[in-house]
């Protein structure tokens, strides 16, 4: 008795491979449609009927693990601003696993570059790239924060006529506070000037009617 099972023909295996690839494209296209529906449902607050979030509703309604549901919602929201990635998923060019990783770092400015990476690499390869990208982003953020901190300065120059010139560079937080203080001071001055003008008008007409003087005969 022959111990070897009969081998399928190469043609049959090729056909099975093609069918797997074709079905995978359809599944990814369905995933893209699902993400679109989730984003629309989330935006319109369809989950707001006793649930705390769209992810919680998905976990209950579809049976997803809560962590997986949160990822679905996150990816769905991200694709709203990343049309190239969204179209690639809809055409079956990118798997959900790839786009899930890419949307962690993608922006409208980097989308096209990341799309090329997504098309060329495997899901595992893309995960490694995204992890490295995030490390670089965090380093760049720390460097920018340090640069802003070291370049802080504020100079105030009072002039002889009483005016004041201000020049400087502040951190975003300190700058926001300064702008808020300037806006409040401007509003206070406006209210004071308005009250002063109103007071002047009232005093002008508060002495009663002024009768015309008689003409000399």
């Amino acid at each position: 008795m022959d111990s070897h099972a009969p081998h399928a023909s190469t043609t049959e295996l090729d056909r099975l491979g093609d069918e797997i690839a074709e079905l995978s494209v359809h599944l990814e296209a369905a995933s893209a449609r699902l993400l679109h529906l989730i984003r629309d449902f989330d935006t319109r607050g369809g989950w707001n009927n006793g649930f705390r979030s769209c992810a919680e509703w998905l976990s209950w309604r579809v049976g997803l693990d809560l962590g997986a549901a949160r990822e679905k919602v996150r990816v769905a929201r991200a694709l709203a601003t990343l049309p190239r990635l969204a179209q690639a998923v809809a055409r079956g060019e990118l798997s959900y696993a790839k786009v899930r990783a890419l949307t962690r770092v993608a922006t409208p400015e980097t989308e096209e570059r990341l799309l090329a990476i997504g098309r060329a690499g495997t899901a595992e390869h893309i995960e490694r790239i995204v992890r490295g990208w995030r490390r670089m982003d965090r380093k760049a953020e720390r460097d920018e924060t340090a640069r802003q901190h070291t370049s802080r300065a504020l100079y105030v120059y009072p002039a002889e006529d009483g005016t004041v010139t201000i020049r400087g560079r502040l951190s975003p937080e300190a700058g926001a506070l300064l702008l808020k203080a300037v806006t409040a001071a401007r509003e206070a001055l406006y209210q004071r000037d308005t009250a002063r003008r109103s007071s002047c008008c009232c005093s002008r007409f508060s002495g009663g009617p002024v009768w015309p003087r008689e003409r000399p005969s």
Side-chain angles (χ1 to χ4, degrees):
M1 180 177 178
D2 189 359
S3 60
H4 297 286
H7 295 286
S9 67
T10 302
T11 302
E12 184 181 357
L13 290 176
D14 287 343
R15 182 186 60 76
L16 287 174
D18 291 341
E19 189 173 349
I20 289 170
E22 183 180 353
L23 184 56
S24 295
V25 169
H26 290 309
L27 288 174
E28 298 307 338
S31 293
R33 174 61 178 163
L34 176 61
L35 291 171
H36 176 79
L37 293 175
I38 289 172
R39 181 170 65 250
D40 191 26
F41 187 79
D42 180 38
T43 302
R44 297 169 65 181
W47 51 269
N48 194 15
N49 55 354
F51 295 91
R52 290 175 295 183
S53 67
C54 186
E56 190 176 275
W57 179 89
L58 271 176
S59 181
W60 166 79
R61 187 69 173 81
V62 185
L64 287 175
D65 173 79
L66 187 57
R70 289 191 181 114
E71 276 292 273
K72 291 279 189 186
V73 175
R74 182 192 65 77
V75 175
R77 290 173 177 172
L79 289 178
T81 59
L82 302 168
R84 292 182 179 87
L85 287 178
Q87 290 167 9
V89 180
R91 291 193 294 261
E93 297 173 8
L94 289 183
S95 66
Y96 172 74
K98 288 183 178 183
V99 81
R100 180 182 60 194
L102 292 172
T103 51
R104 295 191 188 113
V105 294
T107 65
E109 293 74 28
T110 62
E111 178 186 16
E112 192 158 359
R113 181 181 171 190
L114 287 169
L115 175 58
I117 293 172
R119 285 171 172 157
T122 64
E124 183 181 1
H125 177 229
I126 292 166
E127 284 282 359
R128 287 199 302 270
I129 290 176
V130 167
R131 284 196 294 270
W133 195 298
R134 295 180 80 177
R135 283 195 296 270
M136 292 301 296
D137 281 349
R138 287 193 291 269
K139 182 180 182 300
E141 185 177 352
R142 288 194 300 269
D143 291 347
E144 176 63 16
T145 300
R147 186 191 65 79
Q148 290 179 356
H149 183 78
T150 56
S151 64
R152 293 178 307 163
L154 183 65
Y155 305 96
V156 180
Y157 306 99
E160 292 181 358
D161 61 358
T163 59
V164 177
T165 300
I166 299 176
R167 181 172 64 86
R169 184 183 182 89
L170 302 175
S171 67
E173 296 78 9
L177 288 174
L178 178 61
L179 289 174
K180 187 175 181 180
V182 169
T183 301
R186 184 172 57 192
E187 180 64 22
L189 289 173
Y190 174 78
Q191 295 294 340
R192 188 190 68 181
D193 291 344
T194 301
R196 184 179 296 170
R197 286 195 298 269
S198 178
S199 176
C200 289
C201 290
C202 290
S203 62
R204 183 182 303 171
F205 297 105
S206 61
V210 179
W211 300 102
R213 298 173 64 184
E214 294 183 2
R215 294 183 181 179
S217 56

